[in-house]
Amino acid sequence: MVKRVRLKIAGRVQGVGFRPTVVRLAQDLGLTGTVCNDTSGVSLELQGTVQSLATFSQRLQGVDKPPLAQFVSFLEEKCPIVKGESVFRIIGSRVDGDVRSEVAVDTALCADCLREMRDPADFRYRYPFINCTNCGPRYSIIKTVPYDRPGTTMADFALCPQCESQYGDIGDRRYHAQPVACTTCGPHIWLTDTQGKELERENDACLQAAAALLRAGKILAIKGLGGFHLAVDALNDKAVERLRLRKQRDHKPFALMTNRFEKMEPFVHLSDAARQLLESPQSPIVLLPRRLNDRLPQAVAPGMDTLGMMLCYAPLHVLLFAEGLELLVMTSGNIADEPLICDNQRALERLGPVADAFLLHDRDIYRQVDDSIVHWVNRQPMLLRRARGYMPTPIRLSHSTKRHILAAGADLKNTFCLAKGDQLICSEHIGDLADAEVYQHYIRSIQHLRALFEVEPTLVVHDAHPAYFSTQYAQSLDSIETLAVQHHWAHIAAVLAEHQHGGPVIGLVADGTGYGSDGAIWGGECLICSLTEFERFGHMKNFILPGGDQASKEAIRPLMGLLHQAFGNDFTLDRCIEWLALLGPDQEKLSLIDQQLNKNLNCVPTSSMGRMFDALAVLLGVGSHNFFDAQLPMGLEVLAGTGSGKAYPVVMLATETGLVWDWTAMIQDMIVQVRQGAAPVDLAFRFHHTLTEVFCQWACLARERFSLSTVALGGGVFCNRRLIGQVMPALEAHGFEVLIGRQLPANDGCISVGQAAIGSRTLS
Ligand code: ZN
Ligand code: ZN
Ligand code: FE
């Protein structure tokens, strides 16, 4: 019996070779009909025997599913038979209605393309922009959906007859691959000096010259898939130091790239899971445990016990390494904390003083996308920065809202998020909004993504911090309803969103800075929350933080605050000035801070766990300044690695603001021990254990009171692998179900998703 059905498939089905697969499959099974992209995905009409139609559905969702496709829904309905139809064909895209189709992610070079690129007989031999339906640029080149070549930055490259025939041939693996190109018709590379003067233009000559420059210790700006990198030979001390100096990046570790696992092995320990992730289509930077005494220059990743490694993911990188390169520093092409640069002209202007030469190309990058960063928590990967390869895959909620929402995010490590239906589309990493360039980039990015996903927000969710740039931006969008969400509630809500969990749960927060409902700076909290409400069940005892924003850089400030709080009137600067001055800061600064505390000038009360890490890092001799976010806490984590000892006794006080962890005795003990010459490694170790104990006590007491047994962990301090690696199993041993974010970072990069989830739940 013959019948005709209509299939509506939503999800990531565009730009992943979906239609060609459908055509091949339909022809195989003798089905007739049509397929087209539409704004919610792909729609098909299929006509044939009941048996072949069933086989079609089965195979498309099983063995024949294109590797990059992801289905969210698969709806089937009957429709009237079309008489006289004899073929199955692709018809034009439909662009009416609401844009809901997923935009595909930028994907690393696939094995088939790699083989062709190495094959002298192939017409794309050594072509740096080879790609197919399974690999290549997507999100970074898309201007509009549905995803078709005219809506990408490839629009200006007319296909040559050879590419055209592959593009149009249903049997070819480049059938309707939108970025398809070759040496004859596609983008090309060229090499310039810092003034933009061409040094080489021919493909092989460019690659050879670029590699020679790198081998000679020069800094090369390389335009890649989602933006520029600054590259330098990672084994050349002087070159790495020069890059640090010129990039104005004094301490932050550099990421490394190579083309083979064997070249990584002298520097890091590689597990099978790490290999898989490094080779995955997402191809992120993976933080790997560093080998002791590696022969890397000190300047690559000072003080780190991990190294960020990635494999070549763009064909251009592969070709470059084939010129005999070993290991390159590949750091984002920007100055200090400015946005990643993706435009040739802008690169020459801004990176001219940094790089010695530029390897450019003419495939425009419409959206800059940083490399994603993954680390390991309890042997599972967790994203630290969600960008290339993951962006813009939406997070899906278990509920849906008709109104569109914009969530403005937080000011540090900003991302913003658009909510539409059941989708939360989180932007790539934007950066720190205090930088004027980053702020401009933020505004532009919101406009871009709103246009791309056709989002017209009628609700803007923002952080409760009145002075955040993101808050001010949200409030400046007049005629739109706004909703302020407490920072740590958003942290936990992001974890709930990822797990499609509505709450209520026990939310344990270990964070640096978040504006609290009482105007204090919160950061060590136990919340009871769902996506609709939260209450503060417990928190770390407050201390006074002198000096506002500087307090997160100069760690002596939180330390002085802790000392004042712990010793009260017994604390006088005279008695400990000599000892404190040994930890870094000069005496003048110390007395200034002391006066500030005594007179309560520019001081805020805080329960910030991040600042406690900072303070203890100074106390234990790790350093005195955060040159980049969380530098000192990371140092303290590394320090604890070789220590031993027990947790300090945990004191919990029932107060009117909740269950307060009083750390006074711990700090007093630590000071005494430090002055008696106890090993800092042991104190750092014991501190981590104490926090684990604190979190367990909060959770157990909250369980008794609220009969809840699910815990969610959030906040930037949980990027600390030692801490989360202890807290998770400890809670599980107490019988809790523990939720953590793995698709979203624990730091403020997840705030916008939490805000959007709360906004969306509030509306629905
Ligand atoms: Zn490919
Ligand atoms: Zn061509
Ligand atoms: Fe935070």
Side-chain angles (χ1 to χ4, degrees), residues 287-601:
L287 298 189
L288 297 164
R290 187 172 183 171
R291 287 188 193 276
L292 289 177
N293 308 317
D294 60 43
R295 57 193 171 91
L296 276 185
Q298 146 78 11
V300 169
M304 294 289 133
D305 62 354
T306 54
L307 290 174
M309 288 278 184
M310 60 182 148
L311 279 178
C312 295
Y313 56 82
L316 177 59
H317 303 147
V318 176
L319 291 169
L320 201 55
F321 270 88
E323 298 295 325
L325 298 174
E326 279 294 307
L327 184 69
L328 290 181
V329 162
M330 284 287 263
T331 185
S332 309
N334 56 0
I335 303 289
D337 295 319
E338 289 177 6
L340 178 66
I341 293 170
C342 61
D343 170 78
N344 289 348
Q345 198 47 45
R346 173 118 186 103
L348 287 165
E349 283 162 24
R350 289 301 290 157
L351 303 178
V354 183
D356 298 306
F358 287 78
L359 186 56
L360 303 176
H361 64 69
D362 55 354
R363 185 175 69 198
D364 286 345
I365 299 167
Y366 188 69
R367 287 291 313 159
Q368 58 236 79
V369 195
D370 268 298
D371 296 317
S372 293
I373 307 176
V374 173
H375 70 159
W376 299 90
V377 169
N378 290 340
R379 286 181 290 282
Q380 297 282 323
M382 177 193 256
L383 278 162
L384 262 182
R385 182 164 78 197
R386 188 176 188 268
R388 178 181 48 77
Y390 299 90
M391 171 66 204
T393 306
I395 312 265
R396 288 193 182 265
L397 294 170
S398 54
H399 61 272
S400 180
T401 148
K402 285 211 169 58
R403 285 169 61 185
H404 295 174
I405 300 167
L406 164 66
D411 271 16
L412 290 174
K413 296 190 165 56
N414 174 274
T415 61
F416 61 89
C417 181
L418 302 172
K420 186 174 187 180
D422 63 346
Q423 294 189 16
L424 300 184
I425 303 153
C426 180
S427 75
E428 62 275 19
H429 167 80
I430 300 287
D432 296 350
L433 300 187
D435 182 297
E437 292 264 356
V438 175
Y439 185 72
Q440 286 311 317
H441 173 52
Y442 171 68
I443 309 277
R444 276 195 308 270
S445 301
I446 292 176
Q447 286 158 357
H448 273 162
L449 262 66
R450 274 181 54 181
L452 183 59
F453 295 100
E454 296 195 330
V455 170
E456 280 304 326
T458 55
L459 173 69
V460 180
V461 192
H462 60 82
D463 196 276
H465 200 312
Y468 264 3
F469 292 101
S470 49
T471 300
Q472 287 163 11
Y473 173 75
Q475 289 169 345
S476 73
L477 301 168
D478 42 29
S479 82
I480 295 184
E481 192 186 333
T482 58
L483 173 69
V485 168
Q486 201 278 325
H487 186 89
H488 301 111
W489 181 24
H491 265 299
I492 300 300
V495 178
L496 293 181
E498 187 180 323
H499 291 272
Q500 297 201 332
H501 197 300
V505 295
I506 302 164
L508 298 178
V509 178
D511 199 33
T513 300
Y515 189 82
S517 317
D518 56 359
I521 300 297
W522 294 5
E525 316 294 317
C526 175
L527 308 178
I528 305 299
C529 61
S530 65
L531 290 180
T532 48
E533 55 188 351
F534 87 97
E535 70 170 270
R536 195 187 197 195
F537 175 67
H539 63 92
M540 229 174 84
K541 183 177 185 176
N542 281 359
F543 61 98
I544 302 297
L545 197 55
D549 281 350
Q550 268 167 302
S552 61
K553 302 231 158 51
E554 298 175 359
I556 193 69
R557 292 173 180 274
L559 178 60
M560 293 276 280
L562 277 179
L563 294 176
H564 265 255
Q565 182 68 44
F567 294 97
N569 291 335
D570 288 346
F571 178 87
T572 59
L573 189 60
D574 287 350
R575 275 166 58 187
C576 40
I577 192 153
E578 264 174 61
W579 164 72
L580 280 173
L582 284 180
L583 299 172
D586 55 45
Q587 301 206 352
E588 202 178 329
K589 173 159 267 170
L590 288 171
S591 49
L592 260 162
I593 299 174
D594 193 50
Q595 282 168 32
Q596 218 181 336
L597 278 162
N598 289 330
K599 293 180 187 153
N600 197 18
L601 286 173

Side-chain angles (χ1 to χ4, degrees), residues 123-124 127 149 158-164 166 180-186:
F123 77 104
R124 292 194 188 86
Y127 181 55
R149 190 164 172 119
L159 292 166
C160 72
Q162 241 173 327
C163 287
E164 176 93 67
Q166 291 184 330
V180 72
C182 75
T183 320
T184 314
C185 67

Side-chain angles (χ1 to χ4, degrees), residues 175-222:
Y175 181 64
H176 281 233
Q178 305 305 343
V180 72
C182 75
T183 320
T184 314
C185 67
H188 73 288
I189 54 171
W190 66 98
L191 186 72
T192 80
D193 67 8
T194 55
Q195 304 302 308
K197 194 174 132 261
E198 210 167 275
L199 301 174
E200 296 289 349
R201 186 170 186 81
E202 195 269 320
N203 194 60
D204 290 0
C206 280
L207 292 165
Q208 281 153 17
L213 286 168
L214 287 165
R215 271 195 302 270
K218 300 293 183 199
I219 301 171
L220 187 66
I222 304 173

